Amino acid sequence: MSFAHLLPPSWKTQVTAWLEEDTPSLDYGGFVVGEAEKTAFLLGKGKSPAILAGVPFVDEIFQQLSCRVEWHMQEGETFEPIKRVATVTGKARHLLLGERIALNLLARCSGIATKSRRFKDIARSNGYKGIIAGTRKTTPGFRLVEKYGMIVGGIDAHRHDLSSMIMLKDNHIWSCGSITNAISAARSVGGFSLLLDVEVRTEEEANEAIEAGADVVMLDNMEGENLLQTARRLRERWNGKRFLLETSGGIDEGNLRERAVNGAKSF
């Protein structure tokens, strides 16, 4: 199986837009180097081992510039710097037109994949058996690449946009007057096929969300013993009712072991 098969039919237009953004008019550097056939080597650099991610995007960048890419490792594999990960052949000016876009793309996507894998490894070494999920706080216009990197890194990409899951946060709840009212309004239009995720700050709010029919309850910024005991009490009180507990907010490598508790099924 190839991660590239996840990409939607429209994704190649993004590559065209990147190329147009980087060379909107005249290519002065291209005039200098001309169109002699050249070979370039793509090196994986850095200070620590990394995961290769972003291969189909780099392929398409150079495909649109009539260059050829030969990869020397598989996407998702780990490499030790400095590693020759690919060889690119084509006309000199075309290689340079794609060089910076490809390097920026690959560094960003591989960095996210590497960080995702590291989070997963830390959580699993701590005995956590639940779902490690990404965030929707992605770079505008670059979400597809960043979500793709999360998946290559081995974590759940979470919802991709406002239409793929209903998430009710404090602003939605304040506008409706209560968690129950917000859930009722969302259910009236969301139908049965969309999961409903509700952000809560207290155990009382969590109980209201579960009673009102939330599929996922996000225990926002809870940690340590408070998170563990709140999750335990909710499970005991609502035993037999189907819902998922999620912890979110302020999670990093420094507090990951504290937040990755099996009472919460997702973080």
Side-chain angles (χ1 to χ4, degrees), residues 41-67:
F41 303 112
L42 181 58
L43 303 179
K45 297 183 177 181
K47 298 180 180 178
S48 59
I51 308 274
L52 176 65
V55 166
F57 300 101
V58 174
D59 282 342
E60 182 61 23
I61 289 167
F62 286 112
Q63 173 68 30
Q64 292 194 20
L65 295 167
S66 302
C67 297

Side-chain angles (χ1 to χ4, degrees), residues 102-113:
L103 289 174
N104 288 351
L105 181 289
L106 204 63
R108 182 72 174 166
C109 196
S110 296
I112 289 170

Side-chain angles (χ1 to χ4, degrees), residues 88 164-166 171 190 221 243 247:
V88 189
S164 59
M165 183 186 204
I166 304 173
N171 290 329
N221 287 308
F243 62 93
T247 178

Side-chain angles (χ1 to χ4, degrees), residues 121-123 125-127 252-261:
D121 289 346
I122 293 172
S125 69
N126 199 46
D252 56 36
E253 289 186 55
N255 64 13
L256 183 54
R257 295 183 188 279
E258 184 180 353
R259 300 291 294 275
V261 298

Side-chain angles (χ1 to χ4, degrees), residues 106-194:
L106 204 63
R108 182 72 174 166
C109 196
S110 296
I112 289 170
T114 302
K115 190 81 166 179
S116 299
R117 182 74 58 83
R118 191 155 61 236
F119 264 64
K120 181 178 179 180
D121 289 346
I122 293 172
R124 295 292 182 251
S125 69
N126 199 46
Y128 183 69
K129 298 180 175 62
I131 301 165
I132 299 104
T135 175
R136 210 175 69 86
K137 297 172 183 176
T138 52
T139 308
F142 217 55
R143 181 183 302 168
L144 183 65
V145 175
E146 294 174 344
K147 289 288 190 180
Y148 184 89
M150 293 175 196
I151 293 171
V152 174
I155 68 170
D156 190 302
H158 212 297
R159 67 171 183 165
H160 285 253
D161 49 56
L162 292 174
S163 302
S164 59
M165 183 186 204
I166 304 173
M167 184 176 287
L168 301 178
K169 300 172 79 68
D170 49 8
N171 290 329
H172 302 97
I173 293 162
W174 291 336
S175 296
C176 287
S178 72
I179 290 172
T180 301
N181 289 344
I183 290 177
S184 177
R187 287 290 188 207
S188 71
V189 292
F192 72 91
S193 63
L194 287 176

